[in-house]
């Protein structure tokens, strides 16, 4: 079954407000998480990542929070702009028993809509 | 610094045909992964290539095969196409076998009629 999922398929926010996109994962062994942004007709674009030994990481206007107790991941976007409109995916990587990296496991995505 | 490139951008095939998609990784990257993204879904991992060998594979049939060349570029081949193979095929590159951060190309949109 799918290990990574999202709470809401669509999120509508006012321009200038903060956005919070949530993600739940089921495998406690996952040790690396990435948020991607995908605009229509384009490939996923890397936003920010976090390892399981961290609970918070900040980038430019974005913050990722990881709560390992409840296996929850969130992406916070500050001062949302029209250019932030896209589908946002969280993805995880499970440790590979062979010592290598597995492919990313993606959730279905959240469509972020910015209201003027 | 060139990012991940893919060709062609769009492709139309009929059932039963075979298709080859191509990917050039980001400069300096040596690992290529392929994903299938159906409309409205997240990408699904097909397989990953490193040192010209398939290292990891997702839950895809043997109709899906690949190759990696000495210059790290890669091909994805799909035989005996089915209608359900219609999707966006994404290539992602990364550095070294254990480097998790993967950077994606724009994808190839495949339509099977």
């Amino acid at each position: 079954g799918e290990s990574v999922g999202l709470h809401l398929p669509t999120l509508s926010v006012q321009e200038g407000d903060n956005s919070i996109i949530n993600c739940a994962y089921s495998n406690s062994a996952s040790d690396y998480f990435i948020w991607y942004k995908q605009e229509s007709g384009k490939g996923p674009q890397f936003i920010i990542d976090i390892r399981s030994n961290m609970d918070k990481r900040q980038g430019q206007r974005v913050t990722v929070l990881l709560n390992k107790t409840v296996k929850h991941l969130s992406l916070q976007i500050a001062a949302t702009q029209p250019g932030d409109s896209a589908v946002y995916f969280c993805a995880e990587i499970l440790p590979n028993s062979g010592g290598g990296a597995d492919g990313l496991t993606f959730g279905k995505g959240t469509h972020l809509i910015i209201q003027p | 610094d060139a990012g991940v490139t893919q060709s062609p951008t769009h492709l139309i095939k009929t059932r039963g045909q075979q298709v080859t998609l191509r990917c050039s990784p980001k400069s300096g990257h040596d690992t290529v992964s392929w994903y299938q993204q159906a409309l409205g879904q997240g990408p699904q991992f097909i397989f990953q290539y490193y040192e010209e060998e398939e290292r990891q594979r997702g839950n895809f049939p043997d109709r899906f095969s690949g190759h990696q060349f000495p210059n790290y570029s890669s091909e994805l081949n799909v035989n005996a196409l089915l209608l359900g193979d219609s999707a966006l095929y994404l290539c992602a590159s990364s550095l070294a076998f254990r480097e998790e951060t993967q950077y994606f190309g724009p994808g190839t949109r495949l339509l099977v009629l």
Side-chain angles (χ1 to χ4, degrees):
Chain A
E2 196 170 84
S3 177
V4 177
L6 293 165
H7 293 308
L8 296 172
T10 301
L11 177 64
S12 183
V13 299
Q14 292 290 127
E15 182 178 348
D17 287 353
N18 297 335
S19 302
I20 299 176
I21 301 171
N22 296 304
C23 177
Y25 64 96
S26 59
N27 196 322
S28 58
S30 296
D31 63 356
Y32 183 65
F33 304 88
I34 308 174
W35 280 100
Y36 286 94
K37 170 187 180 183
Q38 187 173 26
E39 296 173 283
S40 181
K42 298 183 178 179
Q45 175 187 354
F46 174 87
I47 301 174
I48 192 167
D49 58 1
I50 189 167
R51 297 193 179 276
S52 59
N53 61 353
M54 304 169 68
D55 53 21
K56 181 178 180 179
R57 191 163 190 221
Q58 288 184 294
Q60 187 177 14
R61 279 202 309 120
V62 294
T63 300
V64 55
L65 299 177
L66 176 62
N67 186 330
K68 293 179 285 294
T69 303
V70 295
K71 289 183 277 189
H72 182 268
L73 193 69
S74 69
L75 175 70
Q76 300 179 3
I77 304 174
T80 310
Q81 303 169 357
D84 294 329
S85 290
V87 177
Y88 290 80
F89 293 98
C90 64
E92 66 176 310
I93 283 191
L94 301 169
N96 179 277
S97 59
D102 269 329
L104 295 167
T105 299
F106 284 81
K108 288 187 172 65
T110 293
H111 186 193
L112 179 63
I113 299 171
I114 311 304
Q115 304 278 6
Chain B
D1 180 21
V4 180
T5 60
Q6 292 186 244
S7 63
T9 56
H10 295 81
L11 204 53
I12 300 175
K13 292 285 188 178
T14 56
R15 281 179 296 175
Q17 284 189 313
Q18 179 264 343
V19 68
T20 298
L21 311 180
R22 295 174 177 82
C23 170
S24 290
K26 182 179 168 66
S27 178
H29 284 184
D30 55 11
T31 303
V32 173
S33 302
W34 286 93
Y35 294 81
Q36 180 194 67
Q37 186 176 24
L39 201 61
Q41 303 291 320
Q44 291 200 334
F45 175 66
I46 303 174
F47 44 51
Q48 182 179 81
Y49 277 83
Y50 173 70
E51 290 188 332
E52 302 180 47
E53 290 186 8
E54 182 183 297
R55 298 289 181 161
Q56 300 294 333
R57 190 178 184 94
N59 188 25
F60 278 80
D62 291 344
R63 297 187 297 110
F64 290 77
S65 63
H67 189 78
Q68 186 179 34
F69 299 94
N71 67 352
Y72 308 120
S73 66
S74 177
E75 288 182 348
L76 164 66
N77 301 294
V78 187
N79 294 322
L81 284 167
L82 304 173
L83 296 180
D85 294 332
S86 295
L88 180 68
Y89 288 85
L90 295 161
C91 169
S93 74
S94 53
L95 177 61
F97 186 43
R98 194 60 180 101
E99 179 58 52
E100 295 93 345
T101 305
Q102 297 181 20
Y103 296 88
F104 285 82
T108 294
R109 174 73 64 185
L110 173 65
L111 178 61
V112 182
L113 300 176

